[in-house]
Amino acid sequence: LPFFNEFRDDDDLTLANDAGFEFNEVNLELSGEGYLKMGIGSSITTPPIDFSLYTGLLTYFDGATWGGIRNQEITIFVSDDNGDTYTALNSYPINLPYTAYGTYAQYIDVSDFTGRLGRIKYEMTNGTAYVRFRDLLIEEFQGYLFDGGWSPSNPNGASTEHDDIFVLEGMAEFTENIDLNRLFIEQKATLYVHENLNLHGQKILI
């Protein structure tokens, strides 16, 4: 890690195959700037990742509908036994109108997944049409996490332009001027900004 692939053309797909990714009922489409077309039950699985090297991982991808909005969902699963069993994390409705792409991010706490043969799987688990999948990123999470409290510490007065912040659950507050790289906010979480927020990357509402 890190791993990033746009999944726009044959070269991108070859790169992923060579890295050990597994594709189940997934087709590369070259129209519309290129994407992976996924139907119900199709999946994309990473090669083995040594989870013991990390505390937390960040992954996100861009997704859009194909064939209309028909309850499509992508679920992210994690395995620490080389794919023998999986634990489901979040499911993301892919439902933006006009076939627009949205970005969907997942923080993965791998402290409970200590296997050296970890895998992450992206599977279409609901819907009667298709999903367009592209721009996949997997990397070590570096920054601050809010899950009812801050971890590893409160970023107010400490965060820099190189740090990411992920608000998972609860109500977080920025009470001082703050610099950060990327900001991720779960749909059920709340962030109050009382002073200046200098965002050097992008904000992603999940």
Side-chain angles (χ1 to χ4, degrees):
L1 300 179
F3 175 86
F4 177 75
N5 195 310
E6 293 183 334
F7 290 120
R8 303 297 179 88
D9 55 31
D10 289 321
D11 289 341
D12 290 338
L13 189 59
T14 297
L15 179 65
N17 278 314
D18 290 345
F21 274 75
E22 298 177 1
F23 299 91
N24 175 42
E25 300 296 326
V26 175
N27 296 316
L28 175 67
E29 300 287 342
L30 299 179
S31 61
E33 297 183 342
Y35 55 90
L36 299 178
K37 183 179 177 183
M38 302 178 66
I40 188 70
S42 62
S43 62
I44 301 165
T45 305
T46 69
I49 301 170
D50 187 351
F51 286 162
S52 69
L53 299 176
Y54 308 101
T55 301
L57 298 178
L58 171 67
T59 182
Y60 59 77
F61 64 91
D62 283 1
T65 62
W66 190 103
I69 301 174
R70 300 183 183 276
N71 301 311
Q72 295 99 311
E73 287 187 353
I74 296 290
T75 301
I76 297 179
F77 297 84
V78 173
S79 169
D80 66 352
D81 55 13
N82 202 29
D84 289 341
T85 60
Y86 280 95
T87 299
L89 301 180
N90 285 338
S91 295
Y92 299 96
I94 311 298
N95 56 11
L96 293 181
Y98 308 113
T99 66
Y101 280 90
T103 301
Y104 304 88
Q106 172 79 61
Y107 173 79
I108 303 175
D109 181 357
V110 295
S111 60
D112 293 329
F113 299 97
T114 57
R116 295 181 180 275
L117 294 175
R119 290 180 183 264
I120 305 170
K121 180 170 69 170
Y122 310 80
E123 181 176 336
M124 182 171 166
T125 52
N126 195 38
T128 56
Y130 297 87
V131 164
R132 291 186 266 187
F133 184 105
R134 68 185 192 187
D135 294 345
L136 173 64
L137 172 78
I138 308 166
E139 66 181 14
E140 182 179 11
F141 180 77
Q142 299 187 25
Y144 300 86
L145 186 73
F146 187 88
D147 191 6
W150 288 110
S151 176
S153 60
N154 193 318
N156 284 284
S159 177
T160 73
E161 63 185 55
H162 304 293
D163 293 315
D164 292 333
I165 291 180
F166 207 131
V167 184
L168 286 174
E169 188 174 354
M171 184 185 71
E173 292 186 273
F174 291 158
T175 57
E176 302 179 30
N177 294 338
I178 192 165
D179 285 276
L180 54 92
N181 180 26
R182 295 169 299 186
L183 175 62
F184 306 89
I185 307 172
E186 286 274 14
Q187 288 183 350
K188 295 182 180 179
T190 304
L191 173 66
Y192 290 101
V193 179
H194 299 283
E195 300 295 339
N196 293 326
L197 169 62
N198 299 314
L199 191 65
H200 298 269
Q202 60 189 6
K203 178 174 72 171
I204 300 177
L205 297 175
I206 303 167

